Amino acid sequence: MNSSLHSENPIETITKHKFLIEVLEDLKNNPKRLSSKYFYDSKGDHLFQKIMALEDYYLTKCELDIFKNQTAEIANLICSDDEPFDLIELGAGDAVKSTFLLQHLVRREANFTYMPIDISGNILSVLKTNLNDAIPALNIICLKGEYFEMIEKAMTISSNRKVILFLGSNIGNMEIADAEQFCSKLKSKLNHGDNVLIGFDLKKHPKTILRAYDDPTGVTAKFNLNLLLRINHELGANFNINQFEHYQTYDPLNGACRSYLISLTEQQVTLGEEQISFVKNEPIYMEISQKFSPSDIRELANSSGFNFVSELYDSKKWFMDAIWE
Ligand code: AVI
């Protein structure tokens, strides 16, 4: 193991070891790839906040439109008066969108506990403090860890009906087959009568989609390149980010919006004990942000064993929050 992996904290050491193993395997793969789940170190979190504030990055604004303007409809669809339930949010982050729903539910005295799940304990403690201030009457139990492990834990905490929120088109960052597997696994963890509410970015004019991921200010490029910097800092590699360029594609036939980093020259990168060779113009496949049609979404519900409850659209019909049971 590279000496830079040694740390005081054994959990951190294991996590970094897993990071190294995965990165090595992905860069030895043909074609080379990296996993976008590693984008989110503190610099990556900050860059993603900047992306969400971009004029052309419409996803967050569209879903916010749904949560702001159709709050009562969402509440009516996911809960009936008096029946207690647990509202579980996967990857809650700062919960800006769900806060509209939480405020509404508390105002109408719904009997529920909010259970945000996140891998970052820091994000959860900031969220808890903010929500305690903003909505003092909210019952909140934070669950730190992987989604499915924490859903299982939530099942042991209470036998209340569960409603799962998975917002932001995070599902789009999975390849279609993985998204189907994810939804099937989610279904297998839930009981009859439980609901999920999942955010999907919809297929639309290809230029609108490309603009959201290929901003002229270069924030999205920095967001991608930051993963190379993270690998340098945390795994002791020596990527020269000036020798890689962000390249974005969108295929309107299958809805796949993919980002790549292109090696601008023939080069060697050292990572651990290994040398990774790049030929000129070789891509590293970084991320998929899959776009869906309403029928793609209904098919996904079917193939993963869910039943359709409702579909909520923003005013432009660019984004859908689907509710299934
Ligand atoms: C987090 N996720 C839904 C974003 C997306 O739109 O796929 C990540 C992102 N990548 C580039 N821009 C935003």
Side-chain angles (χ1 to χ4, degrees), residues 191-204:
N191 294 315
H192 185 75
D194 292 346
N195 286 135
V196 298
L197 185 159
I198 305 182
F200 293 92
D201 191 20
L202 297 177
K203 288 175 178 163
K204 58 186 66 64

Side-chain angles (χ1 to χ4, degrees), residues 92-314:
D94 56 13
V96 168
K97 290 167 271 191
S98 32
T99 297
F100 286 94
L101 179 63
L102 299 174
Q103 264 158 344
H104 178 91
L105 290 170
V106 166
R107 231 180 286 125
R108 82 182 222 188
E109 295 179 3
N111 185 357
F112 78 107
T113 300
Y114 177 55
M115 298 185 177
I117 298 180
D118 210 289
I119 198 78
S120 158
N122 186 39
I123 284 184
L124 286 174
S125 72
V126 172
L127 178 61
K128 191 165 195 283
T129 308
N130 290 346
L131 284 175
N132 282 340
D133 286 349
I135 320 175
L138 179 70
N139 294 320
I140 167 164
I141 298 176
C142 293
L143 299 172
K144 177 185 172 307
E146 301 281 345
Y147 294 162
F148 288 112
E149 279 167 30
M150 291 304 108
I151 289 173
E152 275 166 18
K153 188 164 176 193
M155 294 293 184
T156 66
I157 293 175
S158 93
S159 57
N160 291 345
R161 196 172 71 82
K162 304 289 186 243
V163 178
I164 311 273
L165 302 180
F166 190 39
L167 307 184
S169 200
N170 283 321
I171 197 162
N173 296 133
M174 299 175 200
E175 303 291 336
I176 293 266
D178 296 337
E180 202 175 302
Q181 216 177 38
F182 175 86
C183 290
S184 303
K185 189 164 175 190
L186 189 54
K187 176 77 179 79
S188 75
K189 300 281 172 202
L190 300 178
N191 294 315
H192 185 75
D194 292 346
N195 286 135
V196 298
L197 185 159
I198 305 182
F200 293 92
D201 191 20
L202 297 177
K203 288 175 178 163
K204 58 186 66 64
H205 197 294
K207 285 186 182 164
T208 304
I209 291 174
L210 261 187
R211 265 202 303 274
Y213 291 88
D214 204 11
D215 59 290
T217 54
V219 181
T220 311
K222 274 196 190 147
F223 182 59
N224 278 267
L225 289 164
N226 181 58
L227 180 48
L228 303 189
L229 291 177
R230 180 177 187 184
I231 294 170
N232 284 354
H233 297 149
E234 294 188 21
L235 305 178
N238 64 349
F239 279 103
N240 175 355
I241 60 161
N242 298 320
Q243 296 299 342
F244 289 88
E245 189 174 72
H246 172 238
Y247 175 67
Q248 191 74 39
T249 65
Y250 175 64
D251 181 348
L253 292 181
N254 62 14
C257 183
R258 297 182 197 272
S259 68
Y260 301 88
L261 289 176
I262 307 293
S263 174
L264 294 178
T265 174
E266 183 181 323
Q267 54 184 319
Q268 299 262 327
V269 173
T270 305
L271 174 55
E273 323 271 86
E274 309 273 345
Q275 293 283 320
I276 313 286
S277 303
F278 290 84
V279 296
K280 189 173 177 182
N281 297 326
E282 185 175 353
I284 313 176
Y285 170 36
M286 301 296 285
E287 183 180 49
I288 183 162
S289 299
Q290 179 67 41
K291 309 305 167 197
F292 299 82
S293 67
S295 64
D296 296 333
I297 297 167
R298 287 171 211 141
E299 240 170 67
L300 180 60
N302 268 330
S303 60
S304 50
F306 281 104
N307 290 317
F308 169 94
V309 174
S310 190
E311 293 169 348
L312 300 151
Y313 295 87
D314 63 296

Side-chain angles (χ1 to χ4, degrees), residues 59-67 97 167-169 199 319 321:
L59 287 78
T60 316
K61 297 163 198 59
C62 289
E63 197 172 37
L64 196 60
D65 171 2
I66 298 174
F67 271 77
K97 290 167 271 191
L167 307 184
S169 200
F319 199 94
D321 280 308

